[in-house]
Amino acid sequence: PSTQYEILRRRISNNIQELWYFINSEVLKLQRQVNDAAPELLPSLKHILDLGVQHKRWLLRDMDKLAEADGYATWREKEANELDNLVQTRFHYLQNPPDCKKAKKLVCNLNKGCGYGCQLHHVVYCFMVAYGTQRTLILKSKGWRYHKGGWEEVFKPISETCTDPEGESSSNWPGNSHTQVLTLPIIDSISPRPPFLPLSIPEDLAPRLIRLHGDPIVWWVGQFLKYLLRPQEKTAALIQNAIANLGFRRPIVGVHVRRTDKVGTEASYHGIEEYMSAVDEYYNQLELKEKVDKRRIYLATDDPKVITDARNKYPHYEILGDATISKTAAVSTRYSDTSLQGIILDIHMLSMSDFLVCTFSSQVCRIAYEIMQNYFPDASAKFRSLDDVYYYGGQSAHNRIAVMAHDSHRSGEIQLMPGDLVGIAGNHWNGYSKGRNLRTNQIGLFPSFKVKDKVETAKFPTYSEMYN
Ligand code: GDP
């Protein structure tokens, strides 16, 4: 398929969704306004919503059918596999230098003072810089807050030939090209910032990724996680047992409800109803394509009450999930072996789901979404975040490009001219996004469909010498 065809196909699906967010939210607003003033209008408004949502589902179903009928499904699978192999082979090559005594190295300390998802993102960032500077990544992980014995007792070592952090010369980032061992600070304080940080993807892969995938940076992050999270035997057994004991089956929606220490500090509270209405809509949509015997979710949370609550309120749902796991996620027991096992399992099950409903403000949910990209040629649209758009902590600017002019009709809206760059602050999931027009410096709302994502690229090494 042409790149343009693939981009158009994805864009139409996204915009059908955005159009529905817009109509639904505007009609709900009207309903509240006419409630007392003109109650005779309520049935008509309800009719728009009832038939409108059916129409939206039918359009999205046809877009799905189109991707099956166009004959490119096999190409997508094959292209995804080839890219996956290409990148994983490069990682193996980078991480297993023939002579560790001479190898250029980048040292990264796993123990960033934060949660598991945040620490994984920290390691991914180190790995990206290692890949960009062609240095073997050395992970220091003894005394890891989640497992004192270190990373290698849980996941495969990230190198089979080179784990020694010593060398002839060493310095902190940035050093110079001759420094053998460089130590990297956390992303929040790296200076100068290399071009290899998110949201940049490698220039040599960009044309293929832009054709294949709706959000190449998520795919790129997912590749690092794939390499990093190769489980040790014990960990693999833990996961296999859990899958068997749970009765994990498809279709299944992964739901992550982040509460406890996050709520009120870094994220707002969302009731279980909000998550479940997104899940319901997923199944309503799916039922146009196939018969669904049982609506099923995998529910991960750091608050065990959420699981009881969901089971009480949604008895017609099969709710997989383990309240004993969520108990270990409490702040008081969080940094322990049992808690680590719990979060590994929860993230695994979420990432294996057909669709994710969660808050992207949580790194747990973003990690699951990133890993999910390993299981589908393009899983970029298989989520519903109740708050943020996808981001990577410490990322460089996230810009979109205006594709249509916009005149601000209402207060709070900004103007757009085709070609304007807009720094994205968020999507309000009601047809509008918020951002700053970099040309006018205006900050405010604009219709989400009037912009397209700008994919950032950087000149990473291409590892062509691998084949010499
Ligand atoms: P964030 O704080 O949600 O952005 O994610 P982090 O991963 O950085 O820190 C939260 C930590 O809380 C996780 O690493 C887990 O230890 C724990 N946690 C949060 N949500 C869950 C969950 O759904 N299941 C489990 N088992 N642990 C969780």
Side-chain angles (χ1 to χ4, degrees), residues 49-231:
L49 291 183
D50 289 348
L51 204 57
V53 74
Q54 288 184 40
H55 196 158
K56 177 220 59 163
R57 285 175 202 146
W58 197 247
L59 283 168
L60 285 179
R61 170 202 176 269
D62 279 354
M63 288 307 296
D64 263 15
K65 290 269 171 191
L66 182 70
E68 290 163 18
D70 62 16
Y72 298 129
T74 345
W75 172 82
R76 288 179 198 112
E77 293 280 347
K78 187 165 160 277
E79 179 69 352
N81 274 330
E82 277 181 28
L83 281 163
D84 184 299
N85 283 334
L86 174 67
V87 168
Q88 293 300 314
T89 309
R90 289 180 184 179
F91 290 169
H92 277 277
Y93 169 79
L94 174 69
Q95 284 306 108
N96 293 289
D99 185 357
C100 188
K101 286 205 172 62
K102 291 209 189 98
K104 296 267 164 56
K105 306 172 189 180
L106 191 76
V107 176
C108 180
N109 194 335
L110 172 62
N111 237 339
K112 186 172 178 179
C114 56
Y116 175 77
C118 164
Q119 292 184 331
L120 282 184
H121 278 136
H122 170 59
V123 179
V124 167
Y125 137 78
C126 293
F127 205 169
M128 280 176 174
V129 176
Y131 180 92
T133 54
Q134 216 164 341
R135 289 169 173 276
T136 301
L137 179 65
I138 312 281
L139 189 61
K140 283 194 175 170
S141 72
K142 285 277 174 286
W144 182 19
R145 70 196 306 194
Y146 276 95
H147 182 80
K148 296 285 172 267
W151 177 270
E152 295 76 18
E153 294 183 9
V154 185
F155 300 108
K156 296 244 166 77
I158 63 171
S159 172
E160 271 138 42
T161 64
C162 194
T163 52
D164 180 5
E166 301 307 316
E168 298 251 299
S169 55
S170 50
S171 105
N172 286 327
W173 176 265
N176 62 50
S177 60
H178 302 293
T179 319
Q180 194 189 350
V181 183
L182 281 186
T183 300
L184 208 60
I186 59 173
I187 195 168
D188 319 72
S189 48
I190 187 171
S191 167
R193 283 169 67 89
F196 315 117
L197 307 181
L199 305 170
S200 290
I201 58 163
E203 197 178 80
D204 67 312
L205 302 175
R208 294 176 73 178
L209 285 176
I210 288 170
R211 177 153 72 143
L212 176 73
H213 202 276
D215 205 348
I217 182 65
V218 185
W219 183 93
W220 180 232
V221 175
Q223 284 295 314
F224 287 96
L225 289 169
K226 177 172 184 162
Y227 183 90
L228 290 167
L229 298 179
R230 290 164 303 143

Side-chain angles (χ1 to χ4, degrees), residues 115-118 146 256 258 262 266 300-302 325 329 334 339 342-343 346 361-364:
Y116 175 77
C118 164
Y146 276 95
H256 177 236
R258 181 73 165 96
K262 192 87 171 178
E266 293 177 359
T301 173
D302 54 337
I325 289 185
R334 185 166 292 170
S339 173
I343 189 64
D346 275 348
S361 56
S362 169
Q363 314 224 33
V364 172

Side-chain angles (χ1 to χ4, degrees), residues 1 36 82 93 96 107 110 133 138 252 270 280 332 359 390 401 405 410 413 428 441 444 454 461:
D36 300 321
E82 277 181 28
Y93 169 79
N96 293 289
V107 176
L110 172 62
T133 54
I138 312 281
I252 190 161
H270 296 273
D280 270 331
S332 57
T359 46
Y390 177 81
I401 307 168
R410 307 189 195 180
E413 287 188 21
H428 290 194
N441 248 332
K454 178 166 187 290

